[in-house]
Amino acid sequence: MNILPNAPASKQTFRQFLFHNRGNRIILYVAAAVIVIQFVVFKYLYPFANYIHDDSFRYIEAAYDNLTINSYPIGYSKFLRLVSVVAKPDLALVICQYLLIQCSSLFFLFTVFYFYKAGRVIQTVLFCFMVLNPLFLQLGNMVSSDALFLSLSMTWFALLIWLIYKPSKKIIGWHALVLFLAFTVRYNALIYPFIAALAFGFSPLPVRKKAAGLGLALLLIGWFAGLTMYQYKKLTGYWQFSPFSGWQWSNNAMNVYRELHYTEREPVPPQFHALDNRIRTFFDTHPNLNVVKATPAYMWTPRYPLVQYRDSLFQNDGSATEFKMWAGMGPFYSAYGKYIIKKYPLHFLRHFVLPNAWKYFVPPVEYLENYNWGYPIVQESAVKWFGYSSNQVRAGTKNGGLWSVQYFPWLVSFVNMILFLMLLCYLLLKGWQYNPAFNRIILLVGVFWITYAAFNIFAAPTVLRYQAFTSSLSVIFSLLLIDWLGRLIQHLKTESQQQQPNSEYAQKAIG
C-alpha cells in the first residue's frame, strides 16, 4: 500500500523537474539570491579565511610542496593547488568551498524531492535549513578539508539515491569518481564503500552491472591506497596506509591508561617496555592531569609521552624530518594501542567509548568557537600561499567570536534523538507495508547513521565540524519521516471514516 504521492521521476527528467517546474525554479532563484547576500554579509564580518592551528598550515605546506602523502589525506591539499590555479587570494578558496557546499546540498534536496514528494511545509523548512545554515558559512570559510568532504558526502549520498531508483551508466561513473575523491579527503570515508555496496544491492541493475559499478569505485580507491602505501614504504620502510591511525590507537590507549590504577597494570611484551614505562611514569607524576576524557591531545602535545618517545628514538638521526619521524612511528603505535585496548576492554568502553559517545551526540564546537582560534596572526606558509601583505588577520566581530554556531551541539543532539525516535516509529508501525519504495532509502539512512556513529565513537574523538554531513542527514530524514507519519495518520483516519458508514448501514440491515 502506497500512501505517499507518486514521485515525478517517471513523468519528467531531473532537468525538467528543476527548471520547468515553476515552484522549483523560483526556489532556485531565491536560494541563489540568499546565498549571495548572506555570503557578502559574512565576509564583511570575517574578511580573512579561518585557520585551524596547525592543521590548516599542514594542508598548505603539502600543497606548496606538491606532496603525495601528508599527515592527513592528501586530497584537500591537491584541491588547494587546483583552486590556486584559478585565483590566489583566500577569497577564491572560500567562495569555491561555500558554493560547493550549497550546490551539493541543493542537489541532495532536489534529488530527495524528485523521488519523494514531501509536503510543501516540510520542503520549505528543509530548504531554509540548508540555504541559511550558519555552519555551512563557517566551514566554507575555513582552510580545512571539512567543507570539501561535506560537499562530496552530500553529492555521494544523493548519487546513492539515484543508483537505487534510477540508475544509469553516468550515475555509476559519477558515483565512483565522487566516492574516490571523498576517500582522498577524509579517513571517515573508509565506511563509504560498505554503504555503497548496500545501495548497489538495492538497485534494480543486473548483477553484472552492480559488480562493475562497485568494482570501478573500489578500483579507484585501491589505486589511491596502493600508491599511498608505496610512498610510505619508500619513506619509512613500512607498508601502511595511514600512520595517523597508529597514533590514534595509541592516543586512545592513553585515554584508557589514564584511568588505570597502578595495581591494575599488567606487564607488556618486551617491545613495548620502554614506551609503556614512559607512559606509566607520566601518569604517576601527573595524577591530576587537566585534560578532558576521550581527548586527542596525547598524539599532538610535545610534552606528552608519545611525542617524547618518538623524539628519543630519532635523536641521533639528523637526516630524519618531522614528517618521517611521525610516519615511522605509525606501525609501532598501532600495535601498542591495540594491545592495550584489547588488554583492558572494559576500561576502554568506560573511559573512552562512553565519553566519546556523549561527545558524538553533543559534539564540542572546538575550533569553531573563535575565529583563527583566538590568534591575531597566521603562519608564514599561509602568507605566501594566499599572498597576504602581512601575517595579521582579523574578524569584524567582538573578540573574533563565532557565535552563530554556539547552539549547534544541542541542535545536533536534538535531531539525532528525533531521527532515532522516528526510525523506531517506522519500525514499530511496520512502515514498509505502506510504501515499499520508501523502505530502501530509509534502511540505507538507518544503516549509514548507525555505522557512521559507531565508527566515530570507537575510533576517534569527534567534534561538531566532523558531523556537518550526518547532522544534515538527520534533519532531512527526521522531517521526511515526520511527513510520512502525518500522511499515515491521515490515511488511517480516512479509512476509519469510510468504514464507519458501512458498519452503520450493515447494522441497520441486520436490525
Side-chain angles (χ1 to χ4, degrees), residues 261-449:
H261 192 268
Y262 72 92
T263 58
E264 298 177 287
R265 301 170 186 165
E266 298 185 16
V268 298
Q271 66 268 29
F272 299 139
H273 278 169
L275 173 61
D276 194 72
N277 289 335
R278 186 183 288 264
I279 292 175
R280 293 186 184 197
T281 301
F282 174 79
F283 283 122
D284 289 341
T285 55
H286 298 84
N288 300 314
L289 190 66
N290 187 26
V291 294
V292 298
K293 289 189 175 183
T295 178
Y298 298 118
M299 60 192 292
W300 300 118
T301 308
R303 64 187 181 90
Y304 288 171
L306 295 182
V307 178
Q308 290 188 346
Y309 181 71
R310 178 205 66 181
D311 292 343
S312 69
L313 294 181
F314 288 91
Q315 61 183 350
N316 297 323
D317 187 356
S319 63
T321 63
E322 177 79 12
F323 180 65
K324 182 178 180 178
M325 291 190 295
W326 175 84
M329 298 303 299
F332 179 77
Y333 279 168
S334 177
Y336 174 76
K338 291 176 181 177
Y339 175 83
I340 295 298
I341 290 171
K342 290 178 181 178
K343 192 73 173 178
Y344 309 101
L346 295 181
H347 286 79
F348 175 66
L349 290 174
R350 180 181 177 185
H351 299 296
F352 182 84
V353 173
L354 288 180
N356 206 36
W358 171 254
K359 290 171 69 176
Y360 183 84
F361 289 103
V362 188
V365 177
E366 192 219 21
Y367 294 111
L368 295 174
E369 186 173 5
N370 294 104
Y371 174 76
N372 200 37
W373 212 21
Y375 290 100
I377 61 174
V378 294
Q379 292 185 13
E380 191 63 26
S381 58
V383 176
K384 292 180 179 179
W385 186 259
F386 293 118
Y388 293 152
S389 58
S390 71
N391 64 348
Q392 302 289 317
V393 295
R394 59 179 175 80
T397 58
K398 185 178 181 180
N399 300 324
L402 304 178
W403 54 267
S404 60
V405 296
Q406 296 303 312
Y407 63 89
F408 261 72
W410 298 106
L411 175 62
V412 171
S413 176
F414 178 73
V415 298
N416 280 331
M417 180 182 65
I418 294 298
L419 180 60
F420 172 77
L421 292 176
M422 293 310 302
L423 288 172
L424 187 61
C425 285
Y426 192 81
L427 180 64
L428 295 176
L429 295 174
K430 299 180 180 179
W432 58 87
Q433 295 180 348
Y434 301 98
N435 189 268
F438 199 43
N439 299 334
R440 288 172 286 179
I441 186 61
I442 292 301
L443 181 59
L444 188 72
V445 170
V447 171
F448 175 78
W449 188 72

Side-chain angles (χ1 to χ4, degrees), residues 229-243:
M229 294 172 69
Y230 174 69
Q231 293 293 331
Y232 277 120
K233 178 66 168 63
K234 289 200 303 181
L235 178 68
T236 68
Y238 301 104
W239 288 95
Q240 53 182 327
F241 174 67
S242 169

Side-chain angles (χ1 to χ4, degrees), residues 47-103:
F48 292 89
N50 194 3
Y51 294 87
I52 299 175
H53 294 246
D54 62 352
D55 293 11
S56 297
F57 309 115
R58 290 177 184 266
Y59 286 122
I60 292 174
E61 289 163 5
Y64 190 85
D65 295 330
N66 197 21
L67 300 179
T68 54
I69 51 175
N70 191 23
S71 51
Y72 297 109
I74 202 65
Y76 183 68
S77 294
K78 298 301 183 184
F79 174 74
L80 289 177
R81 288 185 66 86
L82 179 63
V83 175
S84 69
V85 172
V86 180
K88 190 176 181 66
D90 67 354
L91 181 61
L93 174 67
V94 172
I95 290 175
C96 186
Q97 290 186 157
Y98 184 58
L99 287 181
L100 282 174
I101 292 175
Q102 288 292 1
C103 290

Side-chain angles (χ1 to χ4, degrees), residues 9 107 111-112 114-116 155-179 192-206 209-217 437 440-441 444:
F107 173 60
T111 292
V112 169
Y114 180 61
F115 292 105
Y116 309 104
T155 305
W156 167 72
F157 209 91
L159 290 170
L160 292 185
I161 298 175
W162 281 92
L163 281 173
I164 291 174
Y165 296 108
K166 204 173 182 180
S168 67
K169 290 182 179 180
K170 287 185 178 180
I171 296 298
I172 291 174
W174 278 111
H175 168 263
L177 178 61
V178 172
L179 179 56
Y192 283 16
F194 300 99
I195 306 302
L198 181 61
F200 272 103
F202 291 154
S203 175
L205 288 168
K209 288 188 176 181
K210 290 180 181 181
L214 186 60
L216 176 61
R440 288 172 286 179
I441 186 61
L444 188 72

Side-chain angles (χ1 to χ4, degrees), residues 215-232:
L216 176 61
L218 295 178
L219 181 64
L220 292 173
I221 291 172
W223 170 81
F224 173 73
L227 178 63
T228 301
M229 294 172 69
Y230 174 69
Q231 293 293 331
Y232 277 120

Side-chain angles (χ1 to χ4, degrees), residues 26-41:
I26 291 175
I27 289 174
L28 284 174
Y29 291 153
V30 172
V34 172
I35 288 169
V36 171
I37 292 171
Q38 68 179 349
F39 182 79
V40 170
V41 173

